[in-house]
Amino acid sequence: SARRENRAVVGNGLLGSLDSMVAMLRRLIDEQSAMAAAHEAGEIDRRVDATQYPGAYGQMAAAVNAMVASDIDLSLQFAAVIKHYGTGDFSGDMPILPGGKAVITEAAAETKRNLVAIKDQIGVLTGAAVDGDFSLRGDPERFQHAYREMVASLNTLMERAENGLTDV
């Protein structure tokens, strides 16, 4: 009988601990879900309050916060580099990132290459026009989409100016 009572006390203690653990995990999952929803809504500063969780739960919350902060920092860094490129400042580069993140480095590098290439092409054509040489043409095949159209338009301008001068 005493043995049976001991087992019941141990069993109830274990069940109580399991119930407590499940409740803590549910609370942590709910808070992480709320953080994810806040981030989707644009509230990128939202974090799980890791101090509200004891032991390993707090460590998990802190690890999730660190991972989210790292990804947001990377996104903001990419945005800053692209913003500079958008204003014509090509002095900076995205750092070389490891693994799957390398796609971000390559996207920034390709953006820079394309913008510098179109800038250079326009510079060559306008430089020739300033010098009175309207026979020069750009190479639209080096470009895609709007950049191709820009070079083709510059070629048309150069051709018409050359024809006009020849007629005169």
Side-chain angles (χ1 to χ4, degrees):
S1 167
R3 203 171 176 177
R4 201 175 286 151
E5 284 178 24
N6 252 352
R7 284 186 188 164
V9 168
V10 169
N12 286 339
L14 183 59
L15 286 177
S17 293
L18 284 174
D19 286 345
S20 177
M21 181 182 74
V22 168
M24 187 69 65
L25 286 171
R26 282 194 177 127
R27 197 172 113 214
L28 184 55
I29 290 168
D30 289 346
E31 194 168 349
Q32 287 179 346
S33 295
M35 180 180 71
H39 280 246
E40 283 297 315
E43 299 173 35
I44 61 173
D45 292 335
R46 176 84 176 265
R47 300 291 184 275
V48 171
D49 184 359
T51 64
Q52 298 301 306
Y53 298 94
Y57 305 107
Q59 291 172 351
M60 286 189 302
V64 167
N65 286 341
M67 181 181 65
V68 168
S70 175
D71 283 349
I72 289 170
D73 288 346
L74 181 58
S75 295
L76 294 175
Q77 184 178 19
F78 179 76
V81 167
I82 295 302
K83 184 176 180 179
H84 281 277
Y85 293 170
T87 64
D89 176 6
F90 303 115
S91 62
D93 290 309
M94 194 69 197
I96 296 173
L97 299 170
K101 290 180 180 181
V103 69
I104 297 167
T105 301
E106 182 51 37
E110 184 176 354
T111 299
K112 181 179 181 175
R113 281 190 305 271
N114 289 333
L115 288 168
V116 168
I118 193 67
K119 174 193 75 71
D120 291 347
Q121 185 81 97
I122 291 169
V124 166
L125 292 172
T126 56
V130 165
D131 291 341
D133 179 6
F134 293 95
S135 66
L136 192 62
R137 300 292 181 268
D139 182 6
E141 296 306 313
R142 287 183 47 207
F143 302 96
Q144 296 177 347
H145 310 293
Y147 293 159
R148 181 178 289 192
E149 293 170 21
M150 290 167 68
V151 173
S153 294
L154 284 170
N155 285 345
T156 300
L157 176 66
M158 296 291 277
E159 182 181 345
R160 292 205 177 140
E162 181 182 35
N163 291 342
L165 287 173
T166 301
D167 289 347
V168 168

